[in-house]
Amino acid sequence: MEPINVFDTKQKEYKEGVKKSFPVTGMTCAACASSVESILKHTDGVNNANVNFASSSVLIDYDKSLNSNDLQNALRAVGYDLIVDVEDPLEAQQKVQLKHYQDIKHRTIWSAIFTIPIFILGMFYMDWVPGKWISLVLTIPILFWFGRSFYINAYKQAKHGKANMDTLVALSTGIAFIFSVFNTIFPEFWRIQNIEPHVYYEAATVIITFISLGKFLEEKAKTNTSSAIKKLMGLKPKTIKIIEDDEEKEIPISSVQVGQTILVRPGEKIPVDGEVSKGNSYVDESMITGEPVPVEKTKAEKVFAGTVNQKGSFQFTAEKVGGETLLSQIIKMVQEAQGSKAPVQKLVDKIASIFVPIVLGISIITFIVWMSVGGDNAFSQALLTSVAVLVIACPCALGLATPTAIMVGIGKGAENNILIKDAESLELGLKVNTVILDKTGTITEGKPIVTDVVWNDKIKDQSVFKEMLHTIEAQSEHPLAEAVVTHLKEENINRTKISSFESITGKGAKAIHNSGATYYVGNRKLIFENNIGIDTVLDKRAGELQDEAKTVIFFGNDAQVLAVFAIADEIKKTSKKAIETLQERGIEVYMLTGDNKKTAAALAEQVGITKYMGEVMPSDKATFIEKLQAKGKVVAMVGDGINDSHALAQANVSIAMGKGSDIAKDVAKITLITSDLQSIPKALELSKRTVLGIRQNLFWAFIYNIIGIPIAAGVLYPVNGFLLDPIIAGAAMAFSSVSVVANSLRLKRVKL
């Protein structure tokens, strides 16, 4: 095996701003999202704003002193709105979205009903004069009632010098309608010039209907991209039962207070986090741990919101309520992640922000060119082609390409117990070629147990010494001491009385019994420094235990070592398989641990790691990662403890084990709820699939516009006489957005 070196560390500070996610209403395309983002970023007190068009939300980094109503008013001025100051903003947003979805559905259905006769008249009875008047009458409600939102939103945007997809639709259909009305009322104006006065009511109405249909399908598909959030929210009950003055009361979950006693019956969901105070049961915690086997809960055991009680009833004391519960934190993390932006999205946002003005310019140029070269039908062809350009251009496809894939990917991760904090880490996961693993709690269970006890053959009565050992280890703060205490408790060993206790950092502990005898518990260094003799057989056995990747603790008095205790942190059943999977994918795997080199080597060999390092200080881990990054490596760090936080912050992709420290989870960009290492290759595979989906979406969105706009402008006319009908252009526009969302949704069916 190949040992590795460490280097000096450079301290870095990591700060996080105050962030809050708000639902946004009124956005219809990516250009809208850019407008909302721009307005908020230029609002005093706002440090940054990231709009997610797919989830209709904005993640705002702002000063605490800022009033959320100021943000709301800034957006209302241009036709958008923020949902603020409500008890449950997510629920409020869902109600707004449901109403919007139902509204689009009804408008689409009625538009289609009115459009069908107009289409028939325009296609098959185009020369029938009464048919033109019938079409005019039927077109008015389609454009100005069922399709009124396009014109209202376009007007609001124009008032502030902005343009979006509604601008394109309003201009194209409005121009076609006005031209058709003129030709219906004043047909002789054209006939005098030997030009047939055509009307395009069917084009205007079919465009509105197709785009409404596309928006309807798009909204329906977008709701599926946030299904992970809805599933998580569904884990929270609406009401709870509390015990007050020995009476049972049912109250809304929003009213529960810390310290209240809550009753949970069989089959009920646990509403908040707390500690069992009475009764016992088995609880299904699979939504948190991923483990299918229910966990027994007795007095003083912790319970978590969203988990499901099985057969027994129990009472527990509420400790964390509202947004402080583990489930609420998970929901918040998924929400913020889905609202974050991948680096590639920043380029797309810039393109989307100038997309509509460019399309308007192309439409005007198209009109001018056709008026110049169109011959006898110049005006008619110029009108049709310029309208087709406006209709076929689709900023929505560009705007939806990245966020829909990100939302589905992060939701898929949440369903697989992989919590991803931001889109950047999801995108970077694809590039990871090096994974660094901590040992304790990451590769191993993090629960040390005594595996071997070897007493000096000369000791005949061990009970007195065991009591002394129990007393010393019970006062020690070292994690390994707990394993010894647990072992001695199982043997029903009592404690004895001591006159003094001293903890010796990095070596062990020293205590003096009431009788005056001195005892030591610690590592080999402590024994040697105090010139304590050790039996040859005992010393040999200690070496053998260390070779087995076990930590050895020596217990002795002034004269000799009395016993050797071997403590091992069991390797997780899935660790070796997970490491093999990573290595098979060409990813280098390192193990860094604070354990001695001998133990590190033995454990590394057991799990198949060839690159490892023992006796590593926390700062050394971060420095080693920095060294790898300097060589061009993209590093993922996996850890669970406070000592891993610096290294996690330094890594390109940071992954915390779910049962680890809060600091580690705060710093990490990805948290594995299950603490199962097999989730690491799953997370990297999820990244690969998501980025592939983003690239596919962006390819088709760009190709659609790059090919569609020139065809709509008439570039094929000199070659084969083809001109794109605005009706077909409208259908193509609707299909492009739906196809992008549908492609993102394919990720939901992928097996990680």
Side-chain angles (χ1 to χ4, degrees):
M1 283 181 278
E2 177 187 338
I4 45 185
N5 299 318
V6 294
F7 309 88
D8 292 335
T9 185
K10 295 177 181 176
Q11 298 295 326
K12 295 184 179 181
E13 292 184 6
Y14 299 92
K15 297 181 180 179
E16 192 174 349
V18 178
K19 296 179 182 178
K20 188 173 180 181
S21 182
F22 295 93
V24 184
T25 61
M27 295 191 299
T28 58
C29 70
C32 295
S34 295
S35 294
V36 170
E37 198 167 279
S38 175
I39 291 162
L40 289 173
K41 282 181 177 178
H42 288 88
T43 301
D44 291 339
V46 174
N47 302 318
N48 195 20
N50 283 324
V51 174
N52 187 328
F53 175 49
S55 65
S56 298
S57 64
V58 56
L59 184 62
I60 309 176
D61 183 348
Y62 63 99
D63 296 335
K64 286 183 178 179
S65 58
L66 188 66
N67 191 329
S68 57
N69 291 324
D70 295 333
L71 301 173
Q72 188 181 49
N73 293 333
L75 291 185
R76 281 179 173 175
V78 286
Y80 308 111
D81 200 0
L82 276 187
I83 297 176
V84 299
D85 300 330
V86 293
E87 189 174 304
D88 192 341
L90 275 175
E91 189 174 336
Q93 183 189 33
Q94 285 187 338
K95 287 180 180 177
V96 171
Q97 287 177 331
L98 180 61
K99 185 178 180 299
H100 181 57
Y101 172 76
Q102 294 295 343
D103 187 38
I104 291 177
K105 181 180 178 180
H106 293 145
R107 285 192 278 121
T108 302
I109 292 171
W110 282 106
S111 292
I113 291 171
F114 277 68
T115 298
I116 290 171
I118 299 173
F119 181 78
I120 293 172
L121 289 170
M123 292 290 102
F124 305 107
Y125 302 97
M126 61 188 72
D127 296 325
W128 187 41
V129 176
K132 296 179 181 179
W133 288 97
I134 294 170
S135 295
L136 169 58
V137 173
L138 293 174
T139 297
I140 291 172
I142 295 174
L143 266 64
F144 305 115
W145 184 248
F146 305 129
R148 66 188 182 280
S149 61
F150 296 112
Y151 300 95
I152 293 170
N153 292 335
Y155 172 70
K156 287 179 178 178
Q157 290 288 312
K159 277 202 310 182
H160 295 272
K162 296 182 180 293
N164 62 5
M165 189 199 74
D166 294 323
T167 307
L168 301 181
V169 176
L171 280 174
S172 59
T173 56
I175 291 169
F177 175 73
I178 292 169
F179 182 64
S180 299
V181 170
F182 182 86
N183 288 358
T184 302
I185 300 173
F186 306 107
E188 294 304 319
F189 177 84
W190 299 106
R191 285 177 182 150
I192 293 171
Q193 304 176 51
N194 294 319
I195 299 173
E196 187 61 31
H198 294 295
V199 294
Y200 301 100
Y201 296 117
E202 79 283 355
T205 55
V206 170
I207 287 169
I208 291 289
T209 301
F210 269 140
I211 292 174
S212 295
L213 176 63
K215 296 300 290 180
F216 166 67
L217 295 174
E218 181 185 305
E219 286 296 322
K220 188 174 182 180
K222 278 163 64 178
T223 57
N224 288 332
T225 64
S226 58
S227 59
I229 284 283
K230 291 178 182 176
K231 285 179 182 177
L232 289 171
M233 290 182 66
L235 294 171
K236 295 194 292 186
K238 299 293 183 185
T239 61
I240 64 172
K241 298 178 184 70
I242 65 168
I243 304 297
E244 201 170 85
D245 299 326
D246 294 327
E247 291 184 7
E248 181 183 321
K249 296 180 182 178
E250 187 167 333
I251 63 171
I253 189 169
S254 57
S255 302
V256 68
Q257 302 291 322
V258 173
Q260 286 184 315
T261 300
I262 299 168
L263 173 65
V264 184
R265 289 198 172 97
E268 291 182 343
K269 291 172 183 172
I270 294 169
V272 296
D273 294 0
E275 184 177 287
V276 177
S277 57
K278 185 178 180 181
N280 63 284
S281 181
Y282 284 86
V283 175
D284 179 0
E285 293 187 338
S286 58
M287 57 77 59
I288 292 177
T289 64
E291 299 296 330
V293 180
V295 180
E296 184 179 10
K297 297 294 180 180
T298 55
K299 189 172 181 178
E301 293 277 348
K302 300 291 184 182
V303 290
F304 303 98
T307 57
V308 182
N309 185 27
Q310 299 291 292
K311 295 180 179 180
S313 293
F314 63 90
Q315 296 176 15
F316 73 95
T317 305
E319 292 183 334
K320 291 183 179 179
V321 301
E324 298 300 315
T325 66
L326 177 61
L327 177 61
S328 294
Q329 292 298 316
I330 290 172
I331 291 173
K332 183 182 177 183
M333 190 185 293
V334 175
Q335 264 187 292
E336 291 188 356
Q338 290 186 333
S340 64
K341 290 188 178 182
V344 69
Q345 180 67 18
K346 295 174 184 176
L347 172 63
V348 176
D349 286 346
K350 288 180 181 178
I351 295 171
S353 65
I354 60 172
F355 184 87
V356 174
I358 289 174
V359 171
L360 289 172
I362 294 172
S363 178
I364 293 169
I365 293 169
T366 299
F367 185 86
I368 294 170
V369 170
W370 275 103
M371 285 296 293
S372 303
V373 301
D376 294 337
N377 296 316
F379 186 82
S380 178
Q381 290 175 329
L383 181 68
L384 284 176
T385 51
S386 58
V387 167
V389 167
L390 291 173
V391 172
I392 200 168
C394 189
C396 290
L398 283 173
L400 289 167
T402 301
T404 52
I406 291 293
M407 285 183 70
V408 176
I410 288 171
K412 181 77 174 178
E415 290 172 5
N416 284 271
N417 300 304
I418 302 166
L419 293 182
I420 300 163
K421 279 190 181 178
D422 61 27
E424 184 175 3
S425 58
L426 188 63
E427 186 177 338
L428 272 174
L430 174 71
K431 302 175 183 177
V432 168
N433 51 29
T434 304
V435 171
I436 294 180
L437 303 174
D438 175 46
K439 181 184 80 72
T440 305
T442 302
I443 296 175
T444 64
E445 293 286 357
K447 295 178 180 177
I449 58 171
V450 174
T451 58
D452 302 87
V453 180
V454 185
W455 284 89
N456 190 320
D457 290 339
K458 298 174 184 176
I459 307 299
K460 302 302 178 183
D461 183 9
Q462 302 169 0
S463 58
V464 175
F465 298 117
K466 285 181 179 180
E467 288 178 357
M468 187 63 194
L469 177 62
H470 188 179
T471 306
I472 297 172
E473 292 293 62
Q475 294 193 42
S476 174
E477 296 177 353
H478 197 283
L480 297 180
E482 188 177 342
V484 177
V485 170
T486 301
H487 173 75
L488 293 173
K489 279 183 178 179
E490 289 172 356
E491 292 187 14
N492 296 315
I493 302 297
N494 297 317
R495 297 190 201 178
T496 187
K497 294 181 179 180
I498 59 174
S499 58
S500 69
F501 173 85
E502 179 187 354
S503 177
I504 305 171
T505 304
K507 298 172 187 175
K510 172 185 175 183
I512 300 175
H513 190 263
N514 279 358
S515 65
T518 303
Y519 293 88
Y520 299 86
V521 181
N523 56 24
R524 189 182 289 272
K525 192 172 184 180
L526 178 69
I527 300 301
F528 285 163
E529 285 182 357
N530 288 279
N531 299 314
I532 300 169
I534 182 170
D535 181 81
T536 306
V537 175
L538 205 59
D539 193 23
K540 182 181 178 183
R541 183 62 184 134
E544 291 172 351
L545 291 170
Q546 282 185 326
D547 289 340
E548 295 173 14
K550 295 175 181 178
T551 302
V552 175
I553 291 177
F554 296 87
F555 171 51
N557 54 24
D558 282 332
Q560 62 183 332
V561 172
L562 304 171
V564 168
F565 287 75
I567 298 175
D569 187 2
E570 290 185 352
I571 297 171
K572 293 175 185 174
K573 295 177 182 178
T574 56
S575 292
K576 186 173 183 179
K577 178 63 179 174
I579 290 164
E580 286 175 355
T581 302
L582 290 170
Q583 291 170 336
E584 286 168 3
R585 293 181 184 178
I587 296 173
E588 286 186 304
V589 180
Y590 293 77
M591 183 188 75
L592 307 183
T593 176
D595 272 352
N596 65 71
K597 295 176 181 178
K598 211 169 187 180
T599 301
L603 188 134
E605 186 174 13
Q606 287 180 41
V607 295
I609 293 178
T610 57
K611 298 179 180 179
Y612 65 93
M613 181 168 59
E615 299 177 6
V616 182
M617 298 296 289
S619 58
D620 295 334
K621 294 181 182 180
T623 308
F624 183 71
I625 292 171
E626 205 170 355
K627 176 73 174 179
L628 290 174
Q629 290 169 330
K631 293 180 180 179
K633 300 286 187 181
V634 180
V635 181
M637 169 69 195
V638 187
D640 75 320
I642 294 173
N643 62 328
D644 297 320
S645 57
H646 188 186
L648 288 167
Q650 178 65 44
N652 302 95
V653 177
S654 47
I655 304 174
M657 309 306 286
K659 294 179 182 177
S661 72
D662 289 340
I663 293 177
K665 287 184 279 187
D666 285 344
V667 173
K669 297 299 183 184
I670 298 174
T671 299
L672 309 179
I673 301 178
T674 62
S675 288
D676 181 351
L677 280 191
Q678 291 209 85
S679 293
I680 298 172
K682 283 184 180 180
L684 299 182
E685 178 66 16
L686 178 63
S687 168
K688 176 182 174 182
R689 298 285 187 144
T690 305
V691 172
L692 178 62
I694 291 172
R695 289 174 179 173
Q696 289 171 341
N697 288 347
L698 288 175
F699 172 80
W700 289 113
F702 277 112
I703 288 296
Y704 165 83
N705 285 293
I706 289 169
I707 295 175
I709 292 174
I711 290 176
V715 295
L716 295 179
Y717 187 80
V719 179
N720 55 17
F722 176 78
L723 282 179
L724 185 67
D725 192 305
I727 294 174
I728 299 173
M733 178 190 184
F735 175 75
S736 65
S737 294
V738 176
S739 62
V740 163
V741 178
N743 186 55
S744 295
L745 288 173
R746 288 193 308 123
L747 183 60
K748 296 182 78 170
R749 298 192 297 272
V750 170
K751 186 176 180 181
L752 297 177

